[in-house]
Amino acid sequence: MLYTLYNYFISLQNFSNTLHSVFQLVWLGINVFLFVYFYLAFLIERYYYTRVILGHALSWARAPAACLNFNCMLILLPVCRNLLSFLRGSIQYCSRTAARQLDRNLTFHKLVAYMIAFHTAIHIIAHLFNFERFMDSQLMINSSYLPYVLSQMGNNDNRSYLNPIRTNETNPTIVMFTTIAGLTGVVITLALILIITSSMEVIRRSYFEVFWFTHHLFILFFIGLVLHGVGRIVRGQTLESVKVHNPDECHSQFETWGKNGTNCPEPVFAGNPPMTWKWVVGPMILYVCERLVRFYRSQQKVVITKVVMHPSKTLELQMKKKGFKMEVGQYVFIQCPSISQLEWHPFTLTSAPEEDHLSVHIRIVGDWTQALYTACGGDKTVVMDAWTLPKVAVDGPFGTASEDVFRYEVVMLVGAGIGVTPFASVLKSVWYKHVQENKNVFTKKIYFYWLCPETQAFEWFADLLQSLERQMMEKDMSDFLSYNIYLTRWKDAEAAHFRVQYEAEDDPITGLKQKTLYGKPNWDNEFSAIATQHPGSKVGVFLCGPMALATALGKQCFSHTESGTEFIFNKENF
């Protein structure tokens, strides 16, 4: 969590994105405002007697509750992917900068989740103190003790009461599991703990199914959230009672409340009506509509037309779906009912919009992908008949940052390992546009960087690069695409012997004219060279890779945006 927050604030500092910074500061500002406002709102005279029992723990419980309502209203919106795609396409016509903020949807989703966890912790701790103090005021049998007197009010008939613990023959634990507020609070807390812990990077990458199924506990979370306030456990004087019973004047006369000759009738108490549903009902309806749209699209027929088994256990699926339209760099969710009826996994489209099919490249790294690999005959030596291939459902496509590639005159594409997949679509589309002599292509130069740890990772993508290299040489377009391929776990000294043994015009690893480089790129030199080569240009930098690389490239974009050359950073998020 701390690492994510650290990288996030580094991004605010380095990406030089004023709109993004303003948006996040407004969100933080609203959280601070709600906390302070509702903290002070429970210091008014209406809650004077509640504070007699609870002290300031009352405000410490209610202030984070207001922030929880606000953030729970927001948490579902970043994962309404159809809504975001629609907004991105609409806003794009007005402001590309504004549309680019939607590409950070998952980052914002995580930040909101962390804020929910933070305020939940404060809320729980404050209420633990509240339960203890409610219990203590019941146990301390002393009629001259105001908290005890307040706790006894309403015990003998149906009159209003202040202390939700109605007897001294119980304990806070029993109350916690026998009241609506306590029971739903336990459900909400357990669901939140499981959701956040299963969302850790190591679990999400290695045990995706655990992350996927546990994340759907959000349904229980929201049900519990809506019901949490139904019990009206937080109580205070009614507005009518305050008019005739001023607690500032009457609190010291509690022994004569309601008796003849006194100006202080017994105070009347009532619980606050539940408010959470007003915050979350709108986003919940939007999310339900989102799921209905995705369910409808997922029912449309998909036909697998070709299965290709690439080296390094990379599976390519080519499919056709009626009415399917895409842009470069977009992604889809794929479900295979024979493997799981519930699991949907995101994959970047590697086909180009100009092709008559859609394709994905799937690296076999987990149980689900291994099951798909087996179902498609990856472990067999014979060719499978088309009718024996598994049925799949496709939901999408959904927009990403890579859609903006052709809006820049100069483009840097940086892919790490399998993260090169969005750029397969981009490079294919570039080629089709030039073959078709599309005059609307604004992009004049592409710098492509591919970073891989081992040689096996190159194998499945090398064919595409070889084809592009050959075709662009035939079209005399060699200067349009500059590509640099790095084998990051090899050093120059280690590779020297390999190069001596294999002296040829083509690279011994990729088969390309461009030789493979060893080690990691010197990004400072690369950015400086591009800035010198293209003065006064806006350079779109697109990354599909890990956060550490994103942080490094973000810093370079910030430091090299000078002398009229502006580097604009874009990162893929799934």
Coordinates of all heavy atoms in Angstrom, one line a residue, residues 308-390:
V308 N -2.6 -20.5 -32.9 CA -1.2 -20.6 -33.2 C -0.5 -20.8 -31.9 O -0.6 -20.0 -30.9 CB -0.7 -19.3 -33.9 CG1 0.8 -19.5 -34.2 CG2 -1.5 -19.1 -35.1
M309 N 0.4 -21.9 -31.8 CA 1.2 -22.1 -30.6 C 2.6 -21.5 -30.9 O 3.4 -22.1 -31.6 CB 1.3 -23.6 -30.4 CG 0.0 -24.3 -30.2 SD -1.0 -23.7 -28.8 CE -2.5 -24.6 -28.9
H310 N 2.9 -20.4 -30.3 CA 4.2 -19.8 -30.4 C 5.1 -20.4 -29.4 O 4.7 -21.0 -28.4 CB 4.0 -18.3 -30.2 CG 3.3 -17.6 -31.3 ND1 3.8 -17.3 -32.5 CD2 2.0 -17.1 -31.3 CE1 2.9 -16.6 -33.2 NE2 1.8 -16.5 -32.5
P311 N 6.4 -20.2 -29.6 CA 7.4 -20.6 -28.6 C 7.2 -19.9 -27.3 O 6.5 -18.9 -27.2 CB 8.7 -20.2 -29.3 CG 8.5 -20.1 -30.7 CD 7.1 -19.6 -30.8
S312 N 7.8 -20.5 -26.3 CA 7.7 -19.9 -24.9 C 6.3 -20.0 -24.4 O 5.9 -19.1 -23.6 CB 8.2 -18.5 -24.9 OG 9.5 -18.4 -25.4
K313 N 5.6 -21.0 -24.8 CA 4.2 -21.2 -24.3 C 3.4 -19.9 -24.4 O 2.8 -19.5 -23.4 CB 4.2 -21.7 -22.9 CG 4.8 -23.1 -22.8 CD 4.5 -23.8 -21.4 CE 3.1 -24.3 -21.4 NZ 2.8 -25.1 -20.2
T314 N 3.3 -19.4 -25.6 CA 2.5 -18.2 -25.9 C 1.4 -18.6 -26.9 O 1.8 -19.1 -28.0 CB 3.3 -17.0 -26.4 OG1 4.2 -16.6 -25.4 CG2 2.4 -15.8 -26.7
L315 N 0.2 -18.5 -26.5 CA -0.9 -19.0 -27.3 C -1.6 -17.8 -28.0 O -1.9 -16.8 -27.4 CB -2.0 -19.6 -26.4 CG -3.3 -20.1 -27.1 CD1 -3.1 -21.2 -28.1 CD2 -4.3 -20.5 -26.0
E316 N -1.7 -17.9 -29.4 CA -2.4 -16.9 -30.1 C -3.8 -17.4 -30.6 O -3.9 -18.4 -31.2 CB -1.6 -16.4 -31.4 CG -2.3 -15.4 -32.2 CD -1.5 -15.0 -33.5 OE1 -0.4 -15.6 -33.7 OE2 -2.1 -14.3 -34.3
L317 N -4.8 -16.6 -30.3 CA -6.1 -17.0 -30.7 C -6.6 -15.9 -31.7 O -6.6 -14.7 -31.4 CB -7.1 -17.0 -29.5 CG -6.9 -18.1 -28.4 CD1 -8.0 -18.0 -27.4 CD2 -6.9 -19.5 -29.1
Q318 N -7.0 -16.4 -32.9 CA -7.7 -15.5 -33.8 C -9.2 -15.8 -33.9 O -9.5 -17.0 -34.0 CB -7.0 -15.6 -35.2 CG -5.6 -15.2 -35.3 CD -5.0 -15.3 -36.7 OE1 -5.7 -15.4 -37.7 NE2 -3.7 -15.1 -36.8
M319 N -10.0 -14.8 -33.7 CA -11.4 -15.0 -33.6 C -12.2 -14.0 -34.4 O -11.7 -13.0 -34.9 CB -11.8 -14.8 -32.1 CG -11.2 -15.8 -31.1 SD -11.3 -15.2 -29.4 CE -10.0 -14.0 -29.3
K320 N -13.5 -14.3 -34.7 CA -14.4 -13.4 -35.4 C -15.6 -13.3 -34.5 O -16.2 -14.2 -34.0 CB -14.7 -14.0 -36.8 CG -13.6 -13.8 -37.8 CD -14.0 -14.1 -39.2 CE -12.9 -13.9 -40.2 NZ -13.3 -14.1 -41.6
K321 N -16.1 -12.0 -34.5 CA -17.3 -11.7 -33.8 C -18.1 -10.7 -34.6 O -17.6 -9.6 -34.9 CB -17.0 -11.2 -32.4 CG -18.2 -10.8 -31.5 CD -17.8 -10.3 -30.1 CE -19.0 -10.0 -29.3 NZ -18.7 -9.5 -28.0
K322 N -19.4 -10.9 -34.9 CA -20.2 -10.1 -35.7 C -20.3 -8.7 -35.1 O -20.6 -8.5 -33.9 CB -21.5 -10.7 -35.9 CG -22.4 -9.9 -36.9 CD -23.7 -10.6 -37.1 CE -24.6 -9.8 -38.1 NZ -25.9 -10.5 -38.3
G323 N -20.0 -7.7 -35.9 CA -20.2 -6.3 -35.5 C -19.0 -5.8 -34.6 O -19.1 -4.7 -34.1
F324 N -18.0 -6.6 -34.5 CA -16.9 -6.2 -33.6 C -16.0 -5.1 -34.2 O -15.5 -5.2 -35.3 CB -16.0 -7.4 -33.2 CG -14.9 -7.1 -32.2 CD1 -15.2 -7.2 -30.8 CD2 -13.7 -6.7 -32.6 CE1 -14.3 -7.0 -29.9 CE2 -12.7 -6.4 -31.6 CZ -13.0 -6.6 -30.3
K325 N -15.9 -3.9 -33.5 CA -15.0 -2.8 -34.0 C -14.1 -2.5 -32.9 O -14.4 -2.4 -31.7 CB -15.9 -1.6 -34.4 CG -16.8 -1.9 -35.6 CD -17.6 -0.6 -35.9 CE -18.6 -0.9 -37.1 NZ -19.4 0.3 -37.4
M326 N -12.8 -2.1 -33.3 CA -11.8 -1.8 -32.3 C -10.9 -0.7 -32.8 O -11.0 -0.3 -34.0 CB -10.9 -3.1 -32.1 CG -10.2 -3.5 -33.4 SD -8.9 -4.7 -33.0 CE -7.6 -3.7 -32.3
E327 N -10.1 -0.2 -31.8 CA -9.1 0.8 -32.1 C -7.8 0.2 -31.7 O -7.8 -0.8 -30.9 CB -9.3 2.1 -31.4 CG -10.6 2.8 -31.8 CD -10.6 3.4 -33.2 OE1 -9.5 3.6 -33.7 OE2 -11.7 3.5 -33.8
V328 N -6.7 0.7 -32.1 CA -5.4 0.2 -31.7 C -5.2 0.2 -30.2 O -5.6 1.1 -29.5 CB -4.2 0.9 -32.4 CG1 -4.2 0.7 -33.9 CG2 -4.2 2.4 -32.1
G329 N -4.5 -0.9 -29.7 CA -4.2 -0.9 -28.3 C -5.3 -1.2 -27.3 O -5.1 -1.2 -26.1
Q330 N -6.5 -1.5 -27.8 CA -7.6 -1.8 -26.9 C -7.5 -3.2 -26.3 O -6.7 -4.0 -26.8 CB -8.9 -1.5 -27.6 CG -9.2 -0.1 -27.9 CD -10.6 0.1 -28.5 OE1 -11.2 -0.7 -29.2 NE2 -11.3 1.2 -28.1
Y331 N -8.3 -3.5 -25.4 CA -8.3 -4.8 -24.8 C -9.7 -5.4 -24.6 O -10.7 -4.6 -24.7 CB -7.6 -4.8 -23.4 CG -8.3 -4.1 -22.3 CD1 -9.1 -4.7 -21.4 CD2 -8.2 -2.7 -22.2 CE1 -9.7 -4.0 -20.4 CE2 -8.8 -2.0 -21.2 CZ -9.6 -2.7 -20.3 OH -10.2 -2.0 -19.3
V332 N -9.8 -6.7 -24.4 CA -11.1 -7.4 -24.2 C -11.0 -8.3 -23.0 O -9.9 -8.6 -22.5 CB -11.5 -8.2 -25.5 CG1 -11.7 -7.3 -26.7 CG2 -10.4 -9.3 -25.8
F333 N -12.1 -8.7 -22.5 CA -12.2 -9.7 -21.5 C -12.6 -11.0 -22.1 O -13.6 -11.0 -23.0 CB -13.2 -9.3 -20.4 CG -12.6 -8.4 -19.3 CD1 -12.6 -7.0 -19.5 CD2 -12.0 -8.9 -18.2 CE1 -12.1 -6.2 -18.6 CE2 -11.5 -8.0 -17.2 CZ -11.5 -6.7 -17.4
I334 N -12.0 -12.1 -21.8 CA -12.3 -13.4 -22.4 C -12.7 -14.4 -21.3 O -12.1 -14.4 -20.2 CB -11.1 -13.9 -23.2 CG1 -10.8 -13.0 -24.4 CG2 -11.4 -15.4 -23.6 CD1 -9.7 -13.5 -25.2
Q335 N -13.8 -15.1 -21.6 CA -14.3 -16.1 -20.7 C -14.4 -17.4 -21.5 O -14.7 -17.5 -22.7 CB -15.7 -15.8 -20.2 CG -16.3 -16.9 -19.3 CD -17.8 -16.9 -19.4 OE1 -18.4 -16.8 -20.4 NE2 -18.5 -17.0 -18.2
C336 N -14.0 -18.5 -20.8 CA -14.1 -19.9 -21.5 C -15.0 -20.7 -20.5 O -14.6 -21.1 -19.5 CB -12.7 -20.5 -21.6 SG -12.8 -22.1 -22.4
P337 N -16.3 -20.8 -20.9 CA -17.2 -21.5 -20.0 C -16.8 -22.9 -19.6 O -17.1 -23.4 -18.5 CB -18.5 -21.5 -20.8 CG -18.4 -20.4 -21.8 CD -16.9 -20.4 -22.1
S338 N -16.1 -23.6 -20.4 CA -15.7 -25.0 -20.1 C -14.6 -25.0 -19.0 O -14.4 -26.0 -18.3 CB -15.2 -25.7 -21.3 OG -14.0 -25.1 -21.8
I339 N -14.0 -23.9 -18.8 CA -13.0 -23.8 -17.7 C -13.6 -23.2 -16.5 O -13.5 -23.7 -15.4 CB -11.8 -22.9 -18.2 CG1 -11.1 -23.5 -19.4 CG2 -10.8 -22.7 -17.0 CD1 -10.0 -22.7 -20.0
S340 N -14.3 -22.1 -16.6 CA -15.0 -21.4 -15.5 C -16.2 -20.5 -16.1 O -16.0 -19.8 -17.0 CB -14.0 -20.5 -14.7 OG -14.7 -19.8 -13.7
Q341 N -17.3 -20.6 -15.4 CA -18.5 -19.9 -15.8 C -18.4 -18.4 -15.3 O -19.1 -17.5 -15.8 CB -19.8 -20.5 -15.3 CG -20.1 -21.8 -15.9 CD -20.7 -21.7 -17.3 OE1 -21.1 -20.6 -17.7 NE2 -20.9 -22.8 -18.0
L342 N -17.5 -18.2 -14.4 CA -17.5 -16.8 -13.7 C -16.3 -16.0 -14.1 O -16.3 -14.8 -14.0 CB -17.6 -17.0 -12.2 CG -18.8 -17.7 -11.7 CD1 -18.8 -17.9 -10.2 CD2 -20.1 -16.9 -12.0
E343 N -15.2 -16.7 -14.4 CA -13.9 -15.9 -14.6 C -13.8 -15.3 -15.9 O -14.0 -15.9 -17.0 CB -12.7 -16.9 -14.4 CG -12.5 -17.3 -13.0 CD -11.3 -18.2 -12.8 OE1 -10.2 -17.8 -13.3 OE2 -11.4 -19.3 -12.3
W344 N -13.5 -14.0 -15.9 CA -13.2 -13.2 -17.1 C -11.8 -12.6 -16.9 O -11.4 -12.0 -15.9 CB -14.2 -12.0 -17.3 CG -15.6 -12.5 -17.6 CD1 -16.5 -12.9 -16.8 CD2 -16.1 -12.5 -18.9 NE1 -17.7 -13.2 -17.4 CE2 -17.4 -13.0 -18.8 CE3 -15.6 -12.2 -20.2 CZ2 -18.3 -13.2 -19.9 CZ3 -16.5 -12.4 -21.3 CH2 -17.8 -12.9 -21.1
H345 N -10.9 -12.8 -18.0 CA -9.6 -12.3 -17.9 C -9.3 -11.3 -19.0 O -9.7 -11.5 -20.2 CB -8.6 -13.5 -18.0 CG -8.7 -14.4 -16.9 ND1 -7.8 -14.5 -15.9 CD2 -9.6 -15.4 -16.6 CE1 -8.1 -15.4 -15.0 NE2 -9.2 -16.0 -15.4
P346 N -8.6 -10.2 -18.7 CA -8.3 -9.2 -19.7 C -7.1 -9.5 -20.5 O -6.1 -10.0 -20.0 CB -8.0 -7.9 -18.8 CG -7.4 -8.5 -17.6 CD -8.1 -9.8 -17.3
F347 N -7.2 -9.3 -21.9 CA -6.1 -9.5 -22.8 C -6.1 -8.3 -23.8 O -7.1 -8.0 -24.3 CB -6.2 -10.8 -23.5 CG -6.1 -12.0 -22.6 CD1 -7.2 -12.7 -22.2 CD2 -4.9 -12.4 -22.1 CE1 -7.2 -13.7 -21.3 CE2 -4.8 -13.5 -21.2 CZ -5.9 -14.2 -20.8
T348 N -4.9 -7.9 -24.1 CA -4.7 -6.8 -25.1 C -4.9 -7.4 -26.5 O -4.5 -8.5 -26.8 CB -3.3 -6.2 -25.0 OG1 -3.1 -5.7 -23.7 CG2 -3.2 -5.1 -26.0
L349 N -5.6 -6.7 -27.3 CA -5.8 -7.1 -28.7 C -4.5 -6.8 -29.5 O -3.9 -5.8 -29.5 CB -7.0 -6.3 -29.4 CG -8.4 -6.6 -28.9 CD1 -9.4 -5.6 -29.3 CD2 -8.8 -8.0 -29.4
T350 N -4.1 -7.9 -30.2 CA -2.8 -7.8 -31.0 C -3.2 -7.6 -32.5 O -2.2 -7.5 -33.3 CB -1.9 -9.0 -30.8 OG1 -2.7 -10.2 -31.0 CG2 -1.4 -9.0 -29.4
S351 N -4.4 -7.7 -32.8 CA -4.8 -7.4 -34.2 C -5.0 -5.9 -34.5 O -5.1 -5.1 -33.5 CB -6.1 -8.1 -34.5 OG -7.1 -7.8 -33.6
A352 N -5.0 -5.6 -35.7 CA -5.1 -4.2 -36.1 C -6.6 -3.9 -36.5 O -7.3 -4.9 -37.0 CB -4.2 -3.8 -37.3
P353 N -7.1 -2.7 -36.4 CA -8.5 -2.4 -36.8 C -8.7 -2.8 -38.3 O -9.9 -3.0 -38.7 CB -8.6 -0.9 -36.6 CG -7.6 -0.6 -35.6 CD -6.4 -1.5 -35.9
E354 N -7.7 -2.7 -39.1 CA -7.8 -3.0 -40.5 C -8.0 -4.5 -40.9 O -8.4 -4.8 -42.0 CB -6.6 -2.5 -41.3 CG -6.5 -0.9 -41.3 CD -5.8 -0.4 -40.1 OE1 -5.5 -1.2 -39.2 OE2 -5.7 0.8 -39.9
E355 N -7.7 -5.4 -39.9 CA -7.8 -6.8 -40.2 C -9.3 -7.3 -40.0 O -10.1 -6.6 -39.3 CB -6.9 -7.6 -39.2 CG -5.4 -7.3 -39.5 CD -4.5 -8.0 -38.6 OE1 -4.7 -7.9 -37.4 OE2 -3.5 -8.6 -39.1
D356 N -9.6 -8.4 -40.6 CA -11.0 -8.9 -40.5 C -11.2 -9.8 -39.4 O -12.2 -10.6 -39.3 CB -11.3 -9.6 -41.9 CG -10.5 -10.8 -42.1 OD1 -9.5 -11.0 -41.3 OD2 -10.7 -11.6 -43.1
H357 N -10.3 -9.9 -38.4 CA -10.5 -10.7 -37.2 C -9.9 -10.0 -36.0 O -9.2 -9.0 -36.2 CB -9.7 -12.1 -37.5 CG -8.3 -11.9 -37.6 ND1 -7.6 -11.7 -38.8 CD2 -7.3 -12.0 -36.6 CE1 -6.3 -11.6 -38.6 NE2 -6.1 -11.7 -37.3
L358 N -10.1 -10.6 -34.9 CA -9.5 -10.0 -33.7 C -8.6 -11.1 -33.1 O -8.9 -12.3 -33.2 CB -10.5 -9.6 -32.6 CG -11.5 -10.7 -32.1 CD1 -11.3 -10.8 -30.5 CD2 -12.9 -10.3 -32.4
S359 N -7.5 -10.7 -32.6 CA -6.5 -11.7 -32.0 C -6.0 -11.3 -30.7 O -5.9 -10.1 -30.4 CB -5.4 -12.0 -33.1 OG -4.6 -10.8 -33.2
V360 N -5.6 -12.2 -29.9 CA -4.9 -12.0 -28.6 C -3.8 -13.0 -28.5 O -3.8 -14.1 -29.1 CB -5.9 -12.1 -27.4 CG1 -6.9 -11.1 -27.4 CG2 -6.5 -13.5 -27.4
H361 N -2.7 -12.6 -27.8 CA -1.6 -13.4 -27.5 C -1.6 -13.6 -26.0 O -1.6 -12.7 -25.2 CB -0.3 -12.8 -27.9 CG 0.0 -12.9 -29.4 ND1 -0.7 -12.2 -30.3 CD2 0.9 -13.7 -30.1 CE1 -0.3 -12.4 -31.5 NE2 0.7 -13.3 -31.4
I362 N -1.7 -14.9 -25.6 CA -1.9 -15.2 -24.1 C -0.6 -16.0 -23.7 O -0.3 -17.1 -24.2 CB -3.1 -16.1 -24.0 CG1 -4.4 -15.3 -24.5 CG2 -3.3 -16.5 -22.5 CD1 -5.6 -16.2 -24.5
R363 N 0.1 -15.5 -22.7 CA 1.2 -16.1 -22.1 C 0.7 -17.1 -21.0 O -0.1 -16.7 -20.2 CB 2.2 -15.1 -21.5 CG 3.5 -15.8 -21.0 CD 4.4 -14.7 -20.5 NE 3.9 -13.9 -19.4 CZ 4.5 -13.0 -18.7 NH1 5.8 -12.8 -19.1 NH2 4.0 -12.4 -17.8
I364 N 1.2 -18.3 -21.1 CA 0.7 -19.4 -20.2 C 1.4 -19.3 -18.8 O 2.6 -19.7 -18.7 CB 0.8 -20.8 -20.8 CG1 0.3 -20.8 -22.2 CG2 0.1 -21.8 -19.9 CD1 -1.1 -20.3 -22.4
V365 N 0.8 -18.7 -17.8 CA 1.4 -18.4 -16.6 C 0.6 -18.8 -15.4 O 1.1 -18.8 -14.2 CB 1.8 -16.9 -16.4 CG1 2.9 -16.5 -17.4 CG2 0.6 -16.1 -16.6
G366 N -0.6 -19.3 -15.5 CA -1.5 -19.6 -14.4 C -2.4 -20.8 -14.7 O -2.4 -21.3 -15.8
D367 N -3.3 -21.1 -13.7 CA -4.2 -22.3 -13.9 C -5.1 -22.1 -15.1 O -5.4 -23.0 -15.9 CB -4.9 -22.5 -12.6 CG -4.0 -22.9 -11.5 OD1 -2.9 -23.4 -11.8 OD2 -4.4 -22.8 -10.3
W368 N -5.7 -20.9 -15.1 CA -6.7 -20.6 -16.2 C -6.1 -20.6 -17.6 O -6.6 -21.2 -18.5 CB -7.4 -19.3 -15.9 CG -8.6 -19.0 -16.8 CD1 -9.9 -19.4 -16.5 CD2 -8.6 -18.4 -18.1 NE1 -10.7 -19.0 -17.6 CE2 -9.9 -18.4 -18.5 CE3 -7.6 -17.8 -18.9 CZ2 -10.3 -17.8 -19.8 CZ3 -7.9 -17.3 -20.1 CH2 -9.3 -17.2 -20.5
T369 N -5.0 -20.0 -17.7 CA -4.3 -19.9 -19.0 C -3.8 -21.3 -19.4 O -3.8 -21.7 -20.6 CB -3.2 -18.9 -19.0 OG1 -2.3 -19.2 -17.9 CG2 -3.7 -17.5 -18.9
Q370 N -3.3 -22.1 -18.4 CA -2.9 -23.4 -18.7 C -4.1 -24.3 -19.2 O -3.9 -25.1 -20.1 CB -2.2 -24.1 -17.5 CG -1.7 -25.5 -17.6 CD -0.7 -25.6 -18.7 OE1 0.3 -24.8 -18.7 NE2 -0.8 -26.5 -19.7
A371 N -5.2 -24.1 -18.5 CA -6.4 -24.9 -18.9 C -6.8 -24.5 -20.3 O -7.2 -25.4 -21.1 CB -7.5 -24.6 -17.9
L372 N -6.8 -23.2 -20.7 CA -7.1 -22.8 -22.0 C -6.1 -23.3 -23.1 O -6.5 -23.8 -24.1 CB -7.1 -21.3 -22.1 CG -7.5 -20.6 -23.4 CD1 -9.0 -21.0 -23.8 CD2 -7.3 -19.1 -23.4
Y373 N -4.8 -23.3 -22.7 CA -3.8 -23.9 -23.6 C -4.1 -25.4 -23.9 O -4.0 -25.8 -25.0 CB -2.4 -23.7 -22.8 CG -1.2 -24.2 -23.6 CD1 -0.7 -23.4 -24.6 CD2 -0.6 -25.4 -23.3 CE1 0.5 -23.8 -25.3 CE2 0.5 -25.8 -24.0 CZ 1.1 -25.0 -25.0 OH 2.2 -25.4 -25.7
T374 N -4.4 -26.1 -22.8 CA -4.8 -27.5 -23.0 C -6.0 -27.7 -23.9 O -6.1 -28.6 -24.8 CB -4.9 -28.2 -21.7 OG1 -3.7 -28.0 -20.9 CG2 -5.2 -29.7 -21.8
A375 N -7.0 -26.9 -23.6 CA -8.3 -27.0 -24.3 C -8.1 -26.7 -25.8 O -8.8 -27.3 -26.7 CB -9.3 -26.1 -23.7
C376 N -7.2 -25.9 -26.1 CA -6.9 -25.5 -27.5 C -5.9 -26.4 -28.2 O -5.5 -26.2 -29.3 CB -6.4 -24.1 -27.6 SG -7.7 -22.8 -27.2
G377 N -5.5 -27.5 -27.5 CA -4.6 -28.5 -28.1 C -3.1 -28.1 -28.0 O -2.3 -28.6 -28.8
G378 N -2.8 -27.2 -27.0 CA -1.4 -26.8 -26.9 C -0.4 -27.9 -26.6 O 0.8 -27.9 -26.9
D379 N -1.0 -29.0 -25.9 CA -0.1 -30.1 -25.5 C -0.3 -31.3 -26.4 O 0.2 -32.4 -26.1 CB -0.5 -30.5 -24.1 CG -2.0 -30.9 -23.9 OD1 -2.8 -30.6 -24.9 OD2 -2.4 -31.4 -22.9
K380 N -0.9 -31.0 -27.6 CA -1.0 -32.1 -28.6 C -0.2 -31.9 -29.8 O 0.1 -30.7 -30.2 CB -2.5 -32.3 -28.9 CG -3.4 -32.7 -27.7 CD -4.9 -32.7 -28.1 CE -5.8 -33.0 -26.9 NZ -7.2 -33.0 -27.3
T381 N 0.1 -32.9 -30.5 CA 0.9 -32.8 -31.7 C 0.1 -32.8 -33.0 O 0.5 -32.5 -34.1 CB 2.0 -34.0 -31.8 OG1 1.3 -35.2 -31.7 CG2 3.0 -33.9 -30.7
V382 N -1.2 -33.2 -32.9 CA -2.1 -33.3 -34.0 C -2.9 -32.0 -34.1 O -3.2 -31.3 -33.1 CB -3.1 -34.5 -33.9 CG1 -2.3 -35.8 -34.0 CG2 -3.9 -34.4 -32.6
V383 N -3.4 -31.7 -35.3 CA -4.2 -30.5 -35.5 C -5.6 -30.8 -35.1 O -6.2 -31.8 -35.5 CB -4.2 -30.1 -37.0 CG1 -5.1 -28.9 -37.3 CG2 -2.7 -29.8 -37.5
M384 N -6.2 -29.9 -34.3 CA -7.6 -30.1 -33.8 C -8.6 -29.6 -34.8 O -8.3 -28.6 -35.5 CB -7.8 -29.4 -32.5 CG -6.9 -29.9 -31.4 SD -7.2 -29.0 -29.8 CE -8.9 -29.5 -29.5
D385 N -9.7 -30.3 -34.9 CA -10.8 -29.8 -35.8 C -11.4 -28.6 -35.1 O -11.5 -28.4 -33.9 CB -11.9 -30.9 -35.9 CG -11.3 -32.1 -36.7 OD1 -10.5 -31.9 -37.6 OD2 -11.7 -33.2 -36.3
A386 N -12.0 -27.7 -36.0 CA -12.5 -26.5 -35.5 C -13.7 -26.7 -34.5 O -13.8 -26.0 -33.5 CB -13.1 -25.6 -36.7
W387 N -14.5 -27.7 -34.7 CA -15.6 -27.9 -33.8 C -15.2 -28.5 -32.5 O -16.0 -28.4 -31.5 CB -16.6 -28.9 -34.5 CG -16.1 -30.3 -34.8 CD1 -15.4 -30.7 -35.9 CD2 -16.1 -31.4 -33.9 NE1 -15.0 -32.0 -35.8 CE2 -15.4 -32.5 -34.6 CE3 -16.6 -31.6 -32.7 CZ2 -15.3 -33.7 -34.1 CZ3 -16.5 -32.9 -32.1 CH2 -15.8 -33.9 -32.8
T388 N -14.0 -28.9 -32.3 CA -13.5 -29.4 -31.0 C -12.9 -28.3 -30.2 O -12.6 -28.6 -29.0 CB -12.5 -30.5 -31.2 OG1 -11.3 -30.0 -31.9 CG2 -13.1 -31.7 -32.0
L389 N -12.7 -27.1 -30.7 CA -12.1 -26.0 -30.0 C -13.1 -25.5 -28.9 O -14.3 -25.6 -29.1 CB -11.7 -24.9 -30.9 CG -10.5 -25.2 -31.8 CD1 -10.4 -24.0 -32.8 CD2 -9.2 -25.4 -31.1
P390 N -12.6 -25.1 -27.8 CA -13.6 -24.6 -26.8 C -14.3 -23.4 -27.2 O -13.9 -22.6 -28.0 CB -12.6 -24.3 -25.6 CG -11.3 -23.9 -26.2 CD -11.2 -24.8 -27.4

